Each structure stands twice: as structure tokens, then as C-alpha cells.
Amino acid sequence: MSAEEPLKVLVVDDSAPNRRLLTELLESSPDVRVVSTAADGNEGLRQVLALHPDVVTLDLEMPRLGGYSFLRLLKSAAPTPVIVISSYAHKADVFKALELGAFDFIAKPSKPTPDALERLRRELHEKVHAARRVRAELQPAVRRSRVIPLEPSFVVGVGASTGGPPAVQRLLESLSPEPSMSLLVCQHMPKQFTRAFAERLDRLGPFTVREAQEGDTLQPGHVFIAPGGRQLVVYRQGGQYTLGTPPPTMQDKHAPSVDRLFMSLAEVFGSKAVGVVLTGMGSDGALGAKSIRKAGGEVWAESERTAVIYGMPQEAVATGAVSRVLPLGEIGPALVELARKRRVT
């Protein structure tokens, strides 16, 4: 697609008012054009095959052919990035859709206030543009194994935003040969969805994945997801490491914040801290990367070649704190190798 061509979007939703609203919000940007709308999955599939849109926005609950069946058929007939538009009340549905191949999701505002609609407009534009730049397919899920070593090799902090859910999943799948790691994940996501995100990841591989809670103990083979709307930090208490989930302060731009997580890892683990910055818009993680580097730890970033949005990795690299820039598919194997080397030494 040339720079002059608008981004072509197909809106699939059984509600006529929703179709009109989404079309209006999407086309408020001059580089986005809604090529058509569809009221159910059957019509949506026909439109995809006829019009070849760059991105599809999808409602899950539709007559005749619902969202899940649409995703299954689309994957085999005409693979196209799909953004699910869902209400907060259907969290499990959203993550089932992600498992079936949806690129990302957007939560419908509970009340259509002017501020809520403006936030929806901005998120629509951000994610439809991100979907167009998808470069990597998810690898198949790894069969779960419950054999966990007694001692953790080391702790890794992971930060991600737009395009992050499938990237985090792919990273965890690639770490399955070394299930003794402990990971702390800061994924920008509304508070209503982080627990469902953790539950979905928990089903995929050898790690136990859960949404972090105040007072949790860092354990080998465990992945803790930062709760939406709060921060995730680590404290050392005696011979163990305890997780904290404090509310954001006035200075925090994000909740959860990659910067806050990385700064905490730098303070507690020093030269043993490892931070990984994945796809995302903005600069969250850059300040934290500098803290880890100053403490003697390592910071890695996803390369532009695979990052859906190269904003967060690029900002981290620009600080000079990043020691390795790797495609997404190489980050996991490199962490496995590092874990084994550290365990030997």
C-alpha cells in the first residue's frame, strides 16, 4: 500500500447504530476509509472476499454467523487482521476471539459520553493502523507441562502496549524449554481485562500465569501480569521477593507502567535485572530501561522488523540502555540461553 492510499476498513456489526458510529469515528481520520459494513458474519465474509479490506472490526454476537465462526472461516479463506469491539461484560469472549486469531480488541464505552467517544476514536485509529503493520503470525500453542524446577534462574520484566497480547503469548510459548524463569509482565490494558488475559495465558504453556495481587511471592515458573489500573513492583523481605500493586501516583502516565516495573527491578535485583521492551506506542519503559542499565542489568528490545508499533522499543533504544535488539521470535530462545548460562555460573 502506498502512503497516499487510505487504510481500508470493513465494519461487521449487527447493530445499525453501531455501524454508523464506528464508520463516523473511523472516517474522522483522512487516511482511513470504511469500504463497507456488514450486519452478520456471512455478509462480512462475502465483503472481505470481494473488497479485500486491510482491517476488519468485528462484533462477536451476531445472528446467522457469529464472530467466532467468522474468525475460523476468515483464517482459512482470507487471513485479515481483525479487531474485536466488545463490552466490558464479555471479557472471556474477547480472549477466546484472540485465541482464534483476532489481532486485538477495543472495549466499548459503557456510556457514550463525548470523552468516552473521543477515547474510542483515538483507540480505533491507533489499532487499525497497528493491525495493518502486523508482521508476525502466532506460533502454535505449546502443550502444557507441569514439571517446574525448584529454583528460579532469574527474573525478567516485560513491557508491551499496542500489539502486545499476541506478542506476550508468543514470547511465553518460546520460553517453554526453560520453565524455571519468573516473569513480570506490564501490558497496557484496561483493568477489566488483565485477569482474563492472565487466565488465557495460563492455559498455553509450562508457566503458571496469574494477575498479580498485593503480597504475592515471586516464584520460579510463574508469570505475574500487572493488574490494569495499578502498578506492579517488587520488594525484598528477608529471603523472599514480594509483589506490590500500589495505585498510580499523579506522576504516573500509565497504570500499569513499564517504567515503574523496570525501576523496581533495577532497585531490587540490580545487575541481575533483565528488562524486555516489546511492541507499543509511546515511550513507556525508556526511563525504566535507563534505571536497569545504570544498576548493571540488561535491557533488550524487539526489533522494528517484527514490532507492530516500534514506538516503545525505539524510545528505549534511543536512551542507549538497550544491549540487544532482536526480532520477537528470537527473544525467547535468547532468554533461555541466558538463563542456562547464569544457572551454570
Side-chain angles (χ1 to χ4, degrees), residues 261-336:
L261 172 60
F262 282 9
M263 288 175 182
S264 176
L265 292 178
E267 181 178 354
V268 173
F269 293 101
S271 63
K272 296 181 180 180
V274 179
V276 177
V277 183
L278 301 180
T279 174
M281 185 171 289
S283 61
D284 191 20
L287 291 176
K290 292 169 67 175
S291 295
I292 290 179
R293 182 61 178 270
K294 186 176 180 180
E298 290 193 38
V299 182
W300 299 359
E302 183 179 358
S303 73
E304 186 176 10
R305 179 153 63 91
T306 59
V308 174
I309 295 289
Y310 192 50
M312 283 170 49
Q314 184 177 41
E315 292 294 329
V317 170
T319 67
V322 173
S323 58
R324 301 187 71 176
V325 179
L326 298 169
L328 178 60
E330 296 180 16
I331 294 175
L335 285 171
V336 169

Side-chain angles (χ1 to χ4, degrees), residues 51-331:
L51 301 173
H52 308 291
D54 299 303
V55 184
V56 175
T57 69
L58 178 68
D59 179 32
L60 293 176
E61 297 182 357
M62 297 180 295
R64 300 178 62 193
L65 185 71
Y68 298 145
S69 298
F70 174 87
L71 285 166
R72 293 188 183 97
L73 293 171
L74 182 71
K75 188 173 183 179
S76 60
T80 306
V82 174
I83 297 172
V84 171
I85 313 292
S86 179
S87 68
Y88 285 120
H90 298 86
K91 298 183 283 292
D93 294 347
V94 164
F95 289 103
K96 181 177 178 180
L98 291 174
E99 289 176 358
L100 291 173
F103 164 69
D104 209 332
F105 71 91
I106 295 174
K108 292 179 183 176
S110 55
K111 295 181 180 180
T113 64
D115 286 346
L117 292 178
E118 174 58 21
R119 287 193 296 271
L120 176 60
R121 186 190 70 81
R122 290 197 302 266
E123 192 169 7
L124 275 168
H125 290 164
E126 175 185 327
K127 292 190 174 181
V128 297
H129 283 88
R132 182 180 63 185
R133 294 192 287 269
V134 172
R135 297 183 177 93
E137 294 292 331
L138 287 179
Q139 296 174 338
V142 178
R143 184 170 295 175
R144 192 172 185 83
S145 167
R146 288 290 181 178
V147 179
I148 302 293
L150 295 177
E151 295 295 330
S153 50
F154 60 78
V155 179
V156 180
V158 179
S161 184
T162 303
V168 170
Q169 175 178 329
R170 187 176 176 190
L171 176 62
L172 293 188
E173 290 170 348
S174 67
L175 292 174
S176 59
E178 187 61 33
S180 64
M181 293 187 199
S182 296
L183 284 89
L184 302 176
V185 177
C186 175
Q187 165 68 53
H188 291 175
M189 188 176 285
K191 63 182 179 181
Q192 291 89 344
F193 287 94
T194 45
R195 178 169 296 180
F197 181 48
E199 291 171 351
R200 173 190 174 224
L201 293 174
D202 186 58
R203 297 193 295 268
L204 298 179
F207 296 96
T208 297
V209 186
R210 58 181 294 180
E211 183 186 52
Q213 298 181 22
E214 185 74 27
D216 280 341
T217 301
L218 201 58
Q219 301 176 57
H222 282 61
V223 178
F224 292 95
I225 306 297
R230 302 186 74 87
Q231 304 299 359
L232 177 57
V233 296
V234 185
Y235 308 103
R236 183 165 189 171
Q237 296 181 335
Q240 67 181 19
Y241 299 99
T242 302
L243 303 183
T245 57
T249 67
M250 294 293 291
Q251 289 72 39
D252 291 329
K253 295 181 180 179
H254 301 280
S257 164
V258 183
D259 283 328
R260 285 288 299 275
L261 172 60
F262 282 9
M263 288 175 182
S264 176
L265 292 178
E267 181 178 354
V268 173
F269 293 101
S271 63
K272 296 181 180 180
V274 179
V276 177
V277 183
L278 301 180
T279 174
M281 185 171 289
S283 61
D284 191 20
L287 291 176
K290 292 169 67 175
S291 295
I292 290 179
R293 182 61 178 270
K294 186 176 180 180
E298 290 193 38
V299 182
W300 299 359
E302 183 179 358
S303 73
E304 186 176 10
R305 179 153 63 91
T306 59
V308 174
I309 295 289
Y310 192 50
M312 283 170 49
Q314 184 177 41
E315 292 294 329
V317 170
T319 67
V322 173
S323 58
R324 301 187 71 176
V325 179
L326 298 169
L328 178 60
E330 296 180 16
I331 294 175

